[in-house]
Amino acid sequence: MASSFLVFFVFLILATDIHADDGGWVPAHATFYGGSDASGTMGGACGYGNLYSQGYGTDTAALSTALFNNGLSCGSCYEITCAGEKKWCLPGTVVVTATNFCPPNNALPNDAGGWCNPPLQHFDLSQPVYQRIAVYEAGIVPVAYRRVPCVTKGGIRFTINGHSYFNLVLITNVGGAGDVSTVSIKGSKTEWEPMCRNWGQNWQSNSFLDGQSLSFKVTTSDGRTIISYDAAPADWSFGQTFTGNQFN
């Protein structure tokens, strides 16, 4: 998945020296994937599907195992700057949302193709966002990153998939911390019940909720909780998306 260009790991030492005590910046490295139009980044291990229609666009990243947290990091946001030599790096920073997983390649060593192998902290960026902080020819560059709040437009979105007794709700466009840690659902005829995470940011309930308005309680990794009462009306159907409240 990650690009297989020359490695400049000596730059990673520079990144550590520059950012170790600077506002929480952490050294890592970055490559790119998905093509110049980022079409190859669609779908992915977070379950977001079409990143354009979901509002994520091309400012996205696939995370290595050390950062992905088995999918719980989906939706988290990171500010990234290139920390290598000037001939490879461009000035400024980018903010990306975690939308995919960069799998390890255990057949290759960590410093020669196995960029996403544990315990490396690695961002496989969409090509358009990568080229805003580094030149294409670099292939792989040392970076410094930090978690930042996710800035979104509109409310949290709930896409209801599945079928009766198998409600699979995809949660997208989450502001603040961005990464959802727990979800509860309530039908107009039921009490609150916890949902279990199926994969990525798809959350599952096995209750019969047809014909009921649905409310959602979403908690993110920073412990904040927001409730969207009656986000879906009683006449909802599978395949529809509904908008709830949003973290300030």
Side-chain angles (χ1 to χ4, degrees), residues 72 179-183 197 201 203 218-224:
L72 283 171
D179 48 347
V180 177
S181 55
T182 63
V183 181
R197 193 171 63 89
Q201 283 299 347
W203 295 79
V218 174
T219 300
T220 45
S221 63
D222 58 357
R224 298 176 66 199

Side-chain angles (χ1 to χ4, degrees), residues 185-193 209 212-215 230:
I185 190 170
K186 181 185 182 305
S188 52
K189 300 177 183 177
T190 71
E191 300 299 322
W192 285 106
E193 62 174 79
L209 298 171
Q212 303 179 56
S213 61
L214 302 179
S215 301
D230 300 320

Side-chain angles (χ1 to χ4, degrees), residues 156-241:
I156 298 173
R157 290 196 286 267
F158 305 92
T159 301
I160 307 173
N161 295 307
H163 52 78
S164 299
Y165 296 103
F166 180 71
N167 308 283
L168 194 64
V169 180
L170 172 63
I171 301 179
T172 59
N173 200 50
V174 181
D179 48 347
V180 177
S181 55
T182 63
V183 181
S184 294
I185 190 170
K186 181 185 182 305
S188 52
K189 300 177 183 177
T190 71
E191 300 299 322
W192 285 106
E193 62 174 79
M195 304 184 78
C196 62
R197 193 171 63 89
N198 188 293
W199 66 282
Q201 283 299 347
N202 285 281
W203 295 79
Q204 175 184 338
S205 166
N206 294 330
S207 297
F208 183 78
L209 298 171
D210 298 28
Q212 303 179 56
S213 61
L214 302 179
S215 301
F216 299 94
K217 184 187 299 183
V218 174
T219 300
T220 45
S221 63
D222 58 357
R224 298 176 66 199
T225 298
I226 194 166
I227 299 176
S228 298
Y229 288 106
D230 300 320
D235 61 351
W236 63 268
S237 60
F238 293 103
Q240 290 184 305
T241 299

